[in-house]
Amino acid sequence: MSKERICLITNDVETTSILNHKLRDKTGEYVLNQGMPRLLDLYDKYGLKATFFYTGHIAKLYPEVVRMAYGRGHEIGSHGLTHEVSKAFDVLSPEEQLSHLKQSKQILEDIIGEEVVSFRAPAARVDKGFPQVLTEAGFKVDSSVSSQRLDMMFSFGALKKLHWLTAPRKAYFVQTDNIFKKGDSIILEAPISAFGFPYIGTFMRIAPSLNRFTRRVLYWETMCSGRQFVFLTHPNEFIDEVQETTEIERRGSNYISYMFGDVIRHKLKIKNLGEKALPIYDRELAFFKEKRFEFVTCKELYNKKKP
Ligand SMILES: [Zn+2]
């Protein structure tokens, strides 16, 4: 029997300026006027429905950025309240996590007038006990775990992501007290695809041929196990912004972390930004169309998997 072929196209919508290496409201305007229309047109071309995760910050700033995706049939999910590194979910207390989740959910629900059930943490940073808070806030699907993604040196909060090494690869209901393990809670985890390298927009832009190789390996795996593809990209990767300053903001706490985490990472991350990213992404989507994958949203995956 052939395995099911499912692909989730997911988008994190935020005000991060990749070019200027910081959060910037002005970038949100580019996302609204350039990034989102480009992606929405591309998705229409393939007749696919995607999931868009919004920070409360950008949703409040430009509610239209939410409405435009909702109006075209896509799922609206939460990407937390803010993308500030100091307020990542694995730094906040459980009380703060709950408050951020509830506020972000409310902002989005007020805009679309429909329940929001799917979540992805900014920078995919969550801690073990997170399912309890997610449940309490009324979420059903999480997509913050990236099983067997190994590019940790370039990622903030890296040590806490060691759990990714042992997390299941197929979508799974998590343990109430451990998001990285299979269990019987009501939260469905849809892991972001990776096979050593992550299968995400950033990697697609900076190393297109290596990315195609990763995708082929992942495809072979799907043929064997039915593992869902969960591709992650950002509308802010498809904007043609103007560079404000050449200075790179320092986030790493020591020199090594600054060199790898800030300088090299920045140089890589700006490759094929903006309009140049579109034909590369188009080829990725064409692959799934050609291989007759079913494109589903997070909520649709939940409805397929719920007991
Ligand atoms: Zn994000």
Side-chain angles (χ1 to χ4, degrees):
M1 207 185 83
S2 72
K3 300 286 181 185
E4 60 176 11
R5 303 180 183 198
I6 287 178
C7 180
L8 284 81
I9 296 296
T10 66
N11 310 264
D12 297 354
V13 192
E14 53 195 69
T15 58
T16 307
S17 169
I18 299 168
L19 192 63
N20 294 299
H21 204 50
K22 63 178 172 189
L23 294 169
R24 215 170 70 119
D25 288 355
K26 179 80 185 155
T27 301
E29 211 181 302
Y30 281 98
V31 164
L32 172 70
N33 297 320
Q34 238 176 21
M36 286 295 291
R38 282 173 175 171
L39 286 186
L40 291 172
D41 287 349
L42 185 60
Y43 296 161
D44 277 357
K45 177 181 160 185
Y46 287 96
L48 73 87
K49 298 291 177 254
T51 308
F52 288 84
F53 297 103
Y54 294 85
T55 59
H57 182 81
I58 196 168
K60 250 181 156 170
L61 202 58
Y62 303 110
E64 186 52 31
V65 84
V66 181
R67 272 185 228 116
M68 65 202 296
Y70 182 71
R72 281 158 89 161
H74 300 285
E75 183 185 347
I76 305 304
S78 160
H79 194 38
L81 198 53
T82 166
H83 222 287
E84 289 166 68
V85 179
S86 62
K87 291 176 187 153
F89 275 91
D90 59 355
V91 199
L92 299 178
S93 69
E95 294 72 33
E96 290 167 325
Q97 290 178 346
L98 184 63
S99 150
H100 279 224
L101 284 178
K102 281 185 168 169
Q103 286 181 68
S104 73
K105 194 173 189 281
Q106 193 62 54
I107 293 168
L108 296 170
E109 289 176 350
D110 285 347
I111 297 171
I112 63 170
E114 197 186 287
E115 199 191 2
V116 168
V117 296
S118 302
F119 175 80
R120 172 174 294 137
R125 289 176 62 167
V126 289
D127 52 18
K128 253 173 143 181
F130 200 55
Q132 271 157 350
V133 193
L134 273 175
T135 308
E136 211 178 322
F139 286 92
K140 293 187 175 122
V141 189
D142 176 74
S143 182
S144 307
V145 174
S146 192
S147 312
Q148 288 79 49
R149 173 175 171 176
L150 304 176
D151 62 327
M152 292 177 184
M153 200 155 147
F154 297 100
S155 169
F156 286 92
L159 277 177
K160 291 180 182 164
K161 288 175 180 170
L162 280 174
H163 295 291
W164 285 359
L165 291 176
T166 53
R169 296 186 60 75
K170 286 172 77 172
Y172 60 100
F173 283 92
V174 308
Q175 257 178 29
T176 309
D177 53 2
N178 192 342
I179 197 164
F180 307 102
K181 285 197 172 146
K182 217 174 267 185
D184 55 6
S185 81
I186 61 148
I187 302 292
L188 179 71
E189 176 63 39
I192 303 158
S193 295
F195 197 91
F197 293 112
Y199 186 56
I200 58 172
T202 314
F203 195 64
M204 172 190 80
R205 289 185 297 101
I206 65 177
S209 47
L210 196 49
N211 180 65
R212 280 195 294 277
F213 173 76
T214 304
R215 186 234 295 142
R216 275 191 209 113
V217 175
L218 287 167
Y219 173 66
W220 170 81
E221 185 193 359
T222 296
M223 291 302 96
C224 297
S225 74
R227 193 211 79 261
Q228 304 81 6
F229 266 91
V230 178
F231 184 76
L232 181 168
T233 192
H234 307 77
N236 61 352
E237 296 183 70
F238 300 87
I239 59 175
D240 296 292
E241 241 180 323
V242 179
Q243 190 157 15
E244 220 175 41
T245 162
T246 50
E247 202 181 310
I248 293 165
E249 190 198 353
R250 188 167 181 150
R251 295 189 295 182
S253 51
N254 58 52
Y255 184 73
I256 297 291
S257 154
Y258 170 66
M259 275 310 291
F260 282 100
D262 293 321
V263 178
I264 296 175
R265 187 171 191 247
H266 177 74
K267 293 232 157 43
L268 283 175
K269 281 187 99 171
I270 62 175
K271 198 178 156 194
N272 286 323
L273 260 190
E275 210 172 358
K276 282 181 283 182
L278 275 173
I280 307 174
Y281 192 20
D282 198 322
R283 282 200 295 274
E284 290 305 309
L285 296 177
F287 174 85
F288 293 107
K289 189 83 180 173
E290 187 201 310
K291 298 291 186 190
R292 300 188 318 278
F293 270 72
E294 183 188 355
F295 291 104
V296 304
T297 64
C298 287
K299 202 196 288 184
E300 285 168 345
L301 182 70
Y302 178 82
N303 288 333
K304 277 175 181 283
K305 301 293 168 194
K306 71 181 172 192

